[in-house]
Every structure is written in structure tokens, then in C-alpha cells.
Amino acid sequence: QFMKFMPITLIAVLTASLLMALIFVPAIASLMTIPPHTSHSTTQTDSSFMEWYLRLLNRGLDNPKRVLQGSVVILIAVKLLHSFVGKGVEFFPDVEPDAAAIYVHARGNLSIYEKEELVGQVEKVILSMPELKSVYSRVGEQSSNSQEELADDVAGVITIEFIDWQKRRKAVQILEEIEQKTRIIPGIFVEVRREKAGPSSGKPIQIEFLSLSSHLLKPSLLKVRNFMEQLPGLVAIEDNLPLPGIEWQLKIDREEAMRLGCDLTTIGNTIKLVTNGAIVGHYRPENNKDEVDIVVRFPPEYRTLDQLDQLKVQSRMGPIPLSRFVERVAQPRVAKVYHLDGDEVLSLKADVAPNVLVGDKIAEIQAWLKDNPVDSNVRVLFKGEDEDTNEASGFLAKAFGVAIFLVATILVTQFNSFFSMGLVLSAVVMSTVGIFIGLIIHNLAFGIVMGGIGVIALAGIIVSNNIILIDTYDKLLEEMKTNIQSPTLQDVKKVVVETCRQRLRPVILTKLTAILGLLPIMFGINIDFLNFNITQGAPSTQWWILLSTCIVYGILFASSLTLFVTPCALLLRAKKFFPDSNSVQ
């Protein structure tokens, strides 16, 4: 859903270009004056590049099997190299944010005014920085429409918006300065979180612990948390365990209370005098349609736990000390209990430091859990970015499979040959070599979303190379069979060379225009034609660097291999049907 508008736009543009090429361009050309036809030789002098290419091609056609074997070796070697020196995998690209959120953590039985004071101290530090466009603070409970649940100890959230990226430092540097300046404020912990690219889903690393035996959850969570706190690259680790603290439970001996003539309502109202107060009546002020409660409670200095021991309850026998039938017991405070599919659940969350890949850290945690498993009655689920990555990769894999199936169906219908179809689609596999080379050269992580869409888009672009070659080869081969009574493999070789000679220029021009069009995006260059301004590294261009890099290097490498591998494959197959006096290997 998040990226669907890109393929919609691409389909619309390609449809329009197809109509333009087949209908409008011929109609416009028919209105133009055609220059007089001059007779000339059908063969033109090849350029130096053409001669160089044909020399290399002939060498490859002398040993077609070795060329195919070499391409397979290159394919495997590049992928192995990327597995060792590649940067890894990411969900969405790391884009310079326009905004960030500052979470102020403070523990204790704080009133809303005390929280406001603590958040205000952080706000003063932030407001002193000139690189911010706006600052918005919210103190107290989170709003009901929040995309994520905040930790219980969050006193407030400060949302900041940066000024234009060209007039400020990197967001990472600004947020580091905020962290350093707020460390001296006592009683709080400040967590900074950059705005993430793509759909927001809270912290990228989220681990859930589920079990029917609730007493097993806390030890399992603490075991994993201790490991994560020692793992470099993880920051802002938090869990949803109850905050340290106690709550007082008042246990009433009902039998003793009834024997002394005290009912539960009277006992409850008496205790309320020390807490929130007991409602004794209602009244309606003038010019007000709603009633107002009349509440009675002790003055502030008498609202203490010790006062409970001094309370007396009115009974049939007169005032009786509350302590005669009420016991005060301290219990660990539990503010919330979470359940998922009937199991009690606890969650552990963490963020990663700048330039650290989430996928790498999740892999390290999962590997550690294999060697250090939690209790067998506790299930461990990875949510957050890991879940999003698996869902996105699964969807893109299905989309890629459907795309290849549709392309294969069309190719089999047009060529009437499974070999030609497989040869055309082999360019898609070859293009992945270029993708990995581009990732290594530019030190980029492969993005599940942007890289996956790039591979799918590349599959549609790159097959045209082989289609051009194979279609021309089939036509020239039929002409050769018509003109030569008993053709040999050497005749087929000439057909292959002639095919490549005729189609070299269209192949290069079509792919060169695609590459040149994507180069500004690949290098993050933003051209403003209205204001005659050129910038490099704008946040809007960072979205598309990975996508354009995949397509550029995929086209570049696959086109180069196609001009050599496809002719060799065609000649190698022809060996089964045509005699060869020179024993082509």
C-alpha cells in the first residue's frame, strides 16, 4: 500500500509511451518532409567500437561453452563476495529526517505539574537551539490515536521539526547535542528518536514473550535484556514490566466487621476520607444544568498511611478502630496486564544507533537465543521491523514470481520456444550480479522494499535486450535456411555475428538512455529547473538512491553480459542441429 503509487505511475507512463510510439509518432512523421533517397551500399563502415566488439565476440564464439561457464562463475563469485563484504539488509533506506521526537522518562509518583516542570527543563534546552523550526510538547498520558504505546515512565514527549536541511547540521549531530545537554538534568532520562522512513511502527526491534505461566515471563525477558544491554549498537532499550513500586491493599475481615456491627459501605466511605473523599450529596449551581458532587475528605496533612491506623468506624457499639478488622498489605504495583491470544505477554523494545542495521542486530539476538534458549514454556516472537521485513519480502517475492510468470507466458507465445524464453529470462539472473557489484562499490545495504522493487522493475527493463537479439536472430536464421541449402555451424555463427552487429546500436542506445536518466538520482543530485538550482544529497533524493543504483548497475552489467552470453548460448544450441567442420567447443 505504501509504495503502490510508483508501479501505478510506471504502468501509466509506459502505456502512454507505447501509444505514442505506435500511433502518434508515425502520424507526426508522415506530415514531415522526407529527404530524397540516395542509393548507398547496404554495408556501412563499422566504427572502431563496433570492430572492437566484434573481435571480442568472435573470440567468445570460438569457445561458447567457456563463456557460459565463466558467466556462471562470475555470478556465484560476486554473490559470495557480497555475503562477506556487503553491508547487509535493511527495511527502508536511512533518510535524513525532517522531524524527531524527544521522550522524557521520569519515575516516581509524579503529579501532572511535576511532570510539566521536568519536561519544561528539557524544552528550555531545545528552544535554545537555532536549528529547529517548531517545538511541540505533550505532558502526561498519550493520546488514544497514538501509533505506538509509550512506556509507563514517559512523563512527556517533545516533537521537534528541523529547519531546511541546507541550513543546518545533520539531524544525528543535533540530536546528540540534545542528549549531551540534557544529561545534567537530575531525575530524568532523555530518549531521542529520529523520524523513520516508511510507515511508522515504533521502535524497530520488538520482542514479545508469551506464556500461560506468567511467572516465567519476567526471568526470560530479563535474561534477553541483559544480553541486549551488552550488545553494541543498541540504544533506548525498554520493556513493559511494571515500574518498581508498591500498592497498598486493604484486606477486610468481614466476619469480624459483621460481628462488631460494621457494614462494608460504611468502612469504604471512612477510608475514602483519607484518599479521594466520600460523596455525601449533590447540588446544582445557578446557571448550570449539571449537578456537582459534594465531597468530604480530610485536610492534606491528614491524608497519610498512618492516618488509616487512627481511623474509627461508626458501628452499633460506637466508634471502633479500623485496625480491628482491616489489615494493610503491601503488594508489588501492577498497572497493566497484557494478553495476546490468551497468553500473558511482555515486550522488549530497542532502537539502533546511527549507521547500524536493524537486521544485523536481530540476527545476532536470534543467534544468541539459539545457544541460550529461554524456558521451553515461553514463546519468543520478533515483531517490529523484523515482522515488517518478512511480510514485505514475502509479498515482493510473490510479486516477482507473478511478474516472471507473465513475462515467460508472453515470451513462449511470441517465440514458440522454451529455450528462447529461458534465454531471455537469464538476463534477469545476470542483472543481479550488477546489483551486488553496485551495492559493494557504493557501500549500500540491500533494501527489502526499495531494492526489491528495483529488482522487479529491472526484470521488465532488462529482458528487452535479449528479446531484440533473439528476434533478429530468428529472422536472419530463417533467411539463411532459405538461401543456403545445407547450412553448417559456421553459417550459423555468421548469422549470430550479423545479429549482434545489427542490434548493437539499439541495445546500447536504449540502455544508455535509461542509465543516463537515472544517474542524477543515483548520485543524489536534485535539479530545480524553475529556480535554476542544483543540490546534492537532499532528503527527497535519498529515498531513491538504492532503487536507481540497482537499476543502473543491473542494466549496465546485464547488458554487457547479454551481448556476449546470449550469442554464445545461441551458437551452442545450434551445435545440436547443424554440422560443424571446425569443431566449435
Side-chain angles (χ1 to χ4, degrees):
Q1 289 294 328
F2 187 76
M3 297 297 298
K4 70 177 183 179
F5 296 103
M6 193 186 76
I8 290 175
T9 304
L10 184 62
I11 291 173
V13 171
L14 289 178
T15 303
S17 66
L18 186 64
L19 293 174
M20 189 71 184
L22 297 180
I23 299 176
F24 296 106
V25 170
I28 295 173
S30 65
L31 300 177
M32 297 181 178
T33 304
I34 302 176
H37 177 74
T38 56
S39 60
H40 58 278
S41 175
T42 55
T43 60
Q44 300 178 357
T45 304
D46 294 329
S47 65
S48 58
F49 175 76
M50 178 75 74
E51 293 175 355
W52 173 80
Y53 164 67
L54 292 178
R55 274 199 310 270
L56 289 180
L57 178 62
N58 278 287
R59 291 181 183 177
L61 292 176
D62 292 337
N63 298 281
K65 186 180 294 185
R66 291 183 182 178
V67 173
L68 295 178
Q69 291 172 346
S71 63
V72 174
V73 170
I74 292 174
L75 178 66
I76 298 174
V78 170
K79 292 191 175 183
L80 287 176
L81 178 64
H82 180 266
S83 64
F84 288 106
V85 302
K87 197 175 179 180
V89 179
E90 63 183 5
F91 183 50
F92 266 95
D94 188 12
V95 178
E96 177 69 14
D98 294 324
I102 313 296
Y103 296 84
V104 182
H105 297 259
R107 295 189 175 186
N109 189 20
L110 304 175
S111 67
I112 188 68
Y113 304 106
E114 292 171 320
K115 292 180 179 179
E116 182 183 19
E117 182 180 354
L118 292 174
V119 174
Q121 295 181 46
V122 179
E123 192 176 39
K124 288 180 181 178
V125 173
I126 295 175
L127 290 173
S128 64
M129 304 182 67
E131 296 168 303
L132 305 180
K133 183 178 180 181
S134 65
V135 178
Y136 171 78
S137 301
R138 187 180 76 248
V139 180
E141 296 291 334
Q142 61 175 333
S143 59
S144 58
N145 60 352
S146 176
Q147 294 181 345
E148 64 169 317
E149 185 174 2
L150 299 182
D152 293 335
D153 62 346
V154 173
V157 180
I158 304 175
T159 304
I160 60 176
E161 184 180 0
F162 303 111
I163 61 176
D164 187 76
W165 66 278
Q166 294 177 282
K167 303 176 182 178
R168 60 172 170 86
R169 296 171 294 166
K170 296 288 186 181
V172 174
Q173 299 173 341
I174 298 174
L175 296 178
E176 285 180 354
E177 183 178 344
I178 292 176
E179 281 186 315
Q180 293 175 357
K181 289 184 176 180
T182 54
R183 285 175 185 169
I184 61 174
I185 302 176
I188 65 169
F189 165 71
V190 173
E191 173 193 349
V192 298
R193 196 180 305 175
R194 297 188 304 159
E195 183 183 38
K196 297 290 185 180
S200 177
S201 59
K203 291 189 176 180
I205 299 178
Q206 299 181 20
I207 308 174
E208 291 185 347
F209 301 83
L210 300 91
S211 178
L212 290 173
S213 304
S214 57
H215 65 280
L216 299 176
L217 293 175
K218 184 176 179 180
S220 300
L221 183 144
L222 293 177
K223 178 180 180 180
V224 179
R225 173 161 186 162
N226 290 335
F227 167 74
M228 291 175 61
E229 289 177 344
Q230 300 172 5
L231 190 63
L234 295 184
V235 296
I237 301 174
E238 68 176 48
D239 55 54
N240 64 345
L241 287 172
L243 296 178
I246 62 172
E247 59 183 10
W248 292 99
Q249 294 184 357
L250 301 179
K251 295 185 177 181
I252 301 175
D253 187 343
R254 300 192 178 192
E255 183 178 349
E256 180 68 12
M258 293 299 293
R259 190 181 66 81
L260 295 174
C262 296
D263 61 273
L264 295 180
T265 302
T266 304
I267 296 173
N269 288 333
T270 304
I271 294 174
K272 287 180 180 179
L273 296 174
V274 182
T275 57
N276 296 329
I279 299 176
V280 297
H282 307 277
Y283 82 101
R284 179 174 292 138
E286 294 182 3
N287 302 324
N288 195 340
K289 63 179 181 179
D290 297 324
E291 290 185 338
V292 178
D293 296 333
I294 301 175
V295 181
V296 177
R297 62 175 176 169
F298 289 165
E301 62 270 19
Y302 293 101
R303 299 174 203 159
T304 62
L305 289 174
D306 294 337
Q307 191 66 31
L308 289 175
D309 298 330
Q310 301 177 21
L311 283 178
K312 293 183 179 181
V313 182
Q314 191 66 31
S315 68
R316 294 192 304 267
M317 301 178 182
I320 298 176
L322 190 68
S323 57
R324 285 282 300 272
F325 44 80
V326 175
E327 180 184 5
R328 188 169 75 249
V329 180
Q331 296 286 346
R333 182 175 62 181
V334 179
K336 301 176 184 177
V337 178
Y338 302 89
H339 283 265
L340 179 64
D341 299 332
D343 292 340
E344 189 168 335
V345 58
L346 292 177
S347 61
L348 182 60
K349 303 177 183 179
D351 205 345
V352 296
N355 301 320
V356 176
L357 293 179
V358 176
D360 293 346
K361 295 304 168 184
I362 291 178
E364 292 182 33
I365 297 172
Q366 291 174 336
W368 182 85
L369 280 172
K370 288 183 180 179
D371 299 330
N372 303 271
V374 297
D375 193 282
S376 58
N377 294 316
V378 177
R379 289 189 296 142
V380 180
L381 302 179
F382 283 81
K383 301 287 186 177
E385 190 166 307
D386 182 66
E387 183 180 36
D388 295 337
T389 299
N390 293 332
E391 290 180 358
S393 59
F395 165 75
L396 291 173
K398 293 178 182 178
F400 182 73
V402 172
I404 292 298
F405 174 77
L406 294 176
V407 172
T409 302
I410 295 174
L411 293 176
V412 170
T413 304
Q414 294 299 314
F415 287 119
N416 196 25
S417 169
F418 283 99
F419 175 80
S420 298
M421 179 268 293
L423 192 56
V424 170
L425 294 181
S426 67
V428 178
V429 180
M430 291 298 176
S431 67
T432 60
V433 177
I435 292 175
F436 289 118
I437 291 176
L439 296 178
I440 294 173
I441 293 175
H442 293 270
N443 193 28
L444 294 174
F446 181 80
I448 293 297
V449 176
M450 305 305 291
I453 294 177
V455 172
I456 296 175
L458 185 62
I461 298 172
I462 205 66
V463 294
S464 60
N465 282 355
N466 275 350
I467 292 175
I468 291 173
L469 286 176
I470 294 176
D471 184 63
T472 304
Y473 167 78
D474 289 342
K475 291 180 180 179
L476 294 179
L477 188 65
E478 289 299 321
E479 294 178 3
M480 185 266 295
K481 290 179 180 179
T482 304
N483 298 327
I484 300 178
Q485 212 171 30
S486 299
T488 64
L489 193 61
Q490 295 303 311
D491 297 319
V492 177
K493 180 181 178 182
K494 294 178 181 178
V495 170
V496 172
V497 173
E498 179 62 19
T499 298
C500 295
R501 190 194 68 79
Q502 289 186 14
R503 309 318 298 169
L504 175 64
R505 186 174 291 105
V507 167
I508 292 179
L509 288 178
T510 54
K511 301 314 169 190
L512 188 61
T513 53
I515 292 174
L516 293 177
L518 289 171
L519 281 181
I521 304 177
M522 189 179 77
F523 291 107
I525 299 174
N526 186 33
I527 303 175
D528 187 352
F529 291 99
L530 296 179
N531 300 317
F532 301 101
N533 186 25
I534 299 177
T535 58
Q536 199 273 336
S540 59
T541 63
Q542 295 173 6
W543 264 100
W544 311 104
I545 289 177
L546 176 63
L547 177 65
S548 58
T549 301
C550 290
I551 296 178
V552 166
Y553 279 89
I555 292 175
L556 185 64
F557 196 82
S559 298
S560 302
L561 285 183
T562 299
L563 290 173
F564 293 97
V565 174
T566 299
C568 292
L570 291 172
L571 185 62
L572 196 62
R573 181 172 181 265
K575 184 178 180 181
K576 298 180 180 180
F577 305 100
F578 297 92
D580 179 19
S581 58
N582 295 333
S583 300
V584 176
Q585 300 294 323

